[in-house]
């Protein structure tokens, strides 16, 4: 079981479930979709896949969910709250590089705020590229504005669409999966670890090579 940490934000409290990795090398901050929670099977699968490699995982319940709202509301307020959460978590884990991400609406938040948060990479699960049946209302610009490497994992049956490969550092499309990754959520965790851990090794090698 993780440690529950309440964090004040400009738009009400958030709650982070933090699983500390022994000898932590990285802080991974994840959040939920608009109607879900941090116990979504894919988020739990990511946690289980990366913890043994020294990745401390914080799963964040955003303020709108804590106060019982059914929809996220203003993107500006959501992003402001997220940046406050990430700043507080980084202060609790000084010196660790940051990767942030989430599923669905949470992935949108992670992409929009990646630059401001100082994230080294973004993990995007089930990015809602467009509303179902409305491909003309693309949100691809949010992926592009991350300004840092982005891993995108989508199901080929997701009614919210699948992003273009050119808009991600890596795109993984899981056959037979929809928006919730119900068939095999463990595969999501495996794919995140397969991409994230080499990325972390590369960052560590770059840091070691810097002149002291």
């Amino acid at each position: 079981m993780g440690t529950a940490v309440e964090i004040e934000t400009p738009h009400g409290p958030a709650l982070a479930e933090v699983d500390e990795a022994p000898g932590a090398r990285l802080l991974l901050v994840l959040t939920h979709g608009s109607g879900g929670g941090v116990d979504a099977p894919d988020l739990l699968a990511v946690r289980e896949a990366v913890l043994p490699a020294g990745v401390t995982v914080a799963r964040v319940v955003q303020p709108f969910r804590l106060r019982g709202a059914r929809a996220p509301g203003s993107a500006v307020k959501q992003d402001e709250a997220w940046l406050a959460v990430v700043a507080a978590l980084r202060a609790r884990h000084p010196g660790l590089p940051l990767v942030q991400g989430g599923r669905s609406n949470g992935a949108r938040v992670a992409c929009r705020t990646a630059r401001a948060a100082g994230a080294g990479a973004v993990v995007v699960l089930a990015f809602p590229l467009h509303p179902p049946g409305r491909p003309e209302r693309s949100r691809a610009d949010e992926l592009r504005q991350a300004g840092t490497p982005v891993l995108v994992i989508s199901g080929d049956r997701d009614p919210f669409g699948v992003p273009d490969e050119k808009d991600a550092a890596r795109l993984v499309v899981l056959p037979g999966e929809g928006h919730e990754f119900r068939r095999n959520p463990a595969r999501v965790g495996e794919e995140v670890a397969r991409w994230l851990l080499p990325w972390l090794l590369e960052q560590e090698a770059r840091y070691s090579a810097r002149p002291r």
Side-chain angles (χ1 to χ4, degrees):
M1 293 291 292
T3 301
V5 180
E6 187 170 295
I7 300 171
E8 288 299 325
T9 84
H11 305 291
L15 185 68
E17 297 284 347
V18 183
D19 290 278
E20 305 274 359
R25 305 155 60 198
L26 177 71
L27 173 62
L28 174 61
V29 185
L30 300 170
T31 192
H32 50 77
S34 59
V38 294
D39 290 331
D42 53 346
L43 296 181
L44 294 177
V46 171
R47 180 192 66 178
E48 296 307 309
V50 302
L51 268 174
V55 180
T56 288
V57 180
R59 293 169 295 125
V60 176
V61 183
Q62 297 178 61
F64 79 90
R65 292 293 291 162
L66 276 188
R67 64 176 178 265
R70 295 185 179 182
S74 162
V76 171
K77 291 181 179 180
Q78 199 177 4
D79 292 356
E80 288 173 347
W82 179 256
L83 289 172
V85 169
V86 171
L89 289 170
R90 297 195 82 176
R92 289 176 61 92
H93 301 88
L96 292 184
L98 168 72
V99 173
Q100 64 181 26
R103 61 165 290 104
S104 195
N105 178 72
R108 297 179 64 193
V109 175
C111 288
R112 291 195 304 257
T113 62
R115 291 176 190 265
V122 182
V123 172
V124 169
L125 310 178
F127 186 82
L129 183 63
H130 56 72
R134 301 292 301 276
E136 74 280 2
R137 294 179 59 187
S138 174
R139 302 176 180 125
D141 281 348
E142 292 182 348
L143 281 173
R144 298 174 190 136
Q145 77 182 62
T148 195
V150 178
L151 167 67
V152 176
I153 302 178
S154 294
D156 67 352
R157 298 184 181 180
D158 192 333
F160 290 88
V162 176
D164 194 295
E165 190 172 19
K166 72 178 187 304
D167 292 327
R170 176 167 170 74
L171 171 67
V172 178
V173 182
L174 301 180
E177 291 283 12
H179 195 63
E180 307 297 335
F181 299 121
R182 288 196 178 98
R183 293 186 64 182
N184 187 9
R187 174 78 185 280
V188 177
E190 293 166 4
E191 293 292 346
V192 171
R194 184 174 292 123
W195 183 79
L196 188 60
L197 301 183
W199 176 89
L200 177 58
L201 287 171
E202 181 181 343
Q203 303 308 304
E204 291 173 337
R206 287 181 180 178
Y207 180 80
S208 298
R210 289 177 184 172
R212 295 285 195 270

